[in-house]
Amino acid sequence: MISLDKIREKSGAVIFGNNIFSLMDVDSTNTFILNMARSGAPEGTIVVADYQHAGRGKVGRSWFSPKGKNLTFSVLLRPTAEIDYAQKITLAIASTLAAAIEDYMQQAFGMQLKLTLKWPNDILFEDKKLCGILTESILKDKDIVALAIGIGININLERTDFPEQLQENSVSLMEIAQKQIVMEDLLAIFLRGLEQDYERWERNNYRDVVATWKQRCLQIGKNITINGPDGRQQVTFQDVNSKGYLIFKTEDGSEHQLISGEVECF
Ligand code: BTN
């Protein structure tokens, strides 16, 4: 089970890591933390689980994670922002997390990793998925009461641990490092980074988030398949706008935006 003492000691974070829970088995850390939010849990609350028996992924999928081998956790945010900002906040978290994973690999193994981001919020290593993020919200009118940022990172999985349908497009940190990953150390580095970045984003109204995110995105200008409200379509990835929405061009040259959905490169 994840050691909380180790995380508290190493993260040094004040807000993120102060109110942290480690569970053996839960349906989904996002569901759990959203319930905590309804009961008044403070910003910065973290819920980590060894195992989720109903872990959720994007677009209604389930999230695969065998017991004790991966980091599956949720962070509770209560930003001073309207729901329009939720997408941008998720992009911001993805940038911070990618940087934290790179820092960990440098500190632990002297490895210089270059992770990339795939819209809306996957972290990739050499085009294979290392991490997914699922943001869910509690709203009051247009204001955000709470955001559950759910994060799943493939950590100590061997190739044979991945189910067949994930074999081709997924990778774990252990596969990259060829060594066991200390999950507490990685989580502590992320929480410390989040503490610094979140304070800055809130202060500057999430101003530089999209530009920072785009520095790690390799999809811009490429042909992609989107799976949005109108089904699957082959389009060109034009840009990510100031709200964090995907701007794409269809064959007839017209420009559209996608607020949420799935993207594949081809
Ligand atoms: C994706 O489909 O890429 C998003 C995956 C998000 C998975 C994480 S694991 C922790 C949290 N709890 C969940 O049920 N889902 C998220």
Side-chain angles (χ1 to χ4, degrees):
M1 203 162 153
I2 299 275
S3 156
L4 296 185
D5 287 344
K6 214 166 167 185
I7 294 169
R8 283 196 198 98
E9 177 201 324
K10 293 208 167 183
S11 84
V14 179
I15 300 173
F16 298 94
N18 191 24
N19 198 36
I20 178 162
F21 301 84
S22 176
L23 309 175
M24 290 282 277
D25 187 346
V26 69
D27 49 0
S28 150
T29 54
N30 264 23
T31 307
F32 194 88
I33 216 165
L34 285 170
N35 284 333
M36 289 179 80
R38 288 184 192 97
S39 311
E43 173 155 88
T45 299
I46 313 282
V47 175
V48 197
D50 266 26
Y51 183 64
Q52 301 183 109
H53 54 264
R56 292 198 299 278
K58 281 192 294 278
V59 290
R61 294 208 191 97
S62 59
W63 181 251
F64 162 79
S65 184
K67 191 176 168 68
K69 292 207 168 186
N70 285 339
L71 268 174
T72 49
F73 65 102
S74 298
V75 179
L76 177 62
L77 298 182
R78 294 187 183 274
T80 54
E82 293 191 341
I83 185 58
D84 268 9
Y85 278 74
Q87 176 62 10
K88 225 152 106 164
I89 294 171
T90 312
L91 297 185
I93 300 269
S95 296
T96 296
L97 183 56
I101 296 171
E102 289 173 351
D103 284 353
Y104 170 82
M105 296 295 267
Q106 172 70 48
Q107 287 175 31
F109 312 116
M111 277 183 87
Q112 293 219 337
L113 221 61
K114 187 72 198 141
L115 299 177
T116 59
L117 297 171
K118 175 174 170 240
W119 192 91
N121 42 37
D122 289 347
I123 299 182
L124 308 183
F125 174 72
E126 294 180 348
D127 276 344
K128 291 182 191 289
K129 183 157 168 171
L130 180 63
C131 171
I133 304 177
L134 177 70
T135 297
E136 295 178 298
S137 53
I138 300 175
L139 303 176
K140 186 164 184 271
D141 303 322
K142 283 182 101 186
D143 292 330
I144 297 172
V145 176
L147 281 186
I149 312 285
I151 296 174
I153 314 175
N154 295 329
I155 301 275
N156 285 320
L157 293 183
E158 294 177 32
R159 194 90 305 254
T160 48
D161 289 327
F162 287 102
E164 209 179 313
Q165 70 275 19
L166 299 181
Q167 287 272 343
E168 202 185 322
N169 295 319
S170 305
V171 68
S172 77
L173 265 188
M174 187 176 76
E175 288 183 303
I176 299 168
Q178 293 292 304
K179 299 210 175 67
Q180 280 275 323
I181 307 301
V182 181
M183 295 199 246
E184 288 89 347
D185 290 354
L186 173 55
L187 187 52
I189 290 174
F190 169 63
L191 295 179
R192 198 168 29 189
L194 183 58
E195 179 118 351
Q196 288 164 8
D197 290 353
Y198 186 63
E199 191 274 327
R200 196 182 64 248
W201 304 327
E202 279 279 285
R203 193 163 18 90
N204 73 19
N205 209 19
Y206 297 87
R207 201 181 48 220
D208 44 4
V209 159
V210 174
T212 305
W213 186 92
K214 284 203 288 193
Q215 285 170 8
R216 287 181 183 273
C217 178
L218 303 182
Q219 297 164 298
I220 296 170
K222 298 241 167 83
N223 293 329
I224 54 168
T225 302
I226 57 170
N227 202 354
D230 300 329
R232 286 169 71 83
Q233 255 180 304
Q234 298 204 339
V235 302
T236 307
F237 192 132
Q238 288 292 119
D239 203 359
V240 175
N241 74 6
S242 61
K243 288 185 170 175
Y245 302 161
L246 167 63
I247 307 299
F248 63 90
K249 242 184 196 165
T250 47
E251 261 183 1
D252 63 6
S254 59
E255 222 173 67
H256 307 263
Q257 67 176 33
L258 185 65
I259 298 175
S260 67
E262 280 265 281
V263 163
E264 291 159 30
C265 286
F266 65 91

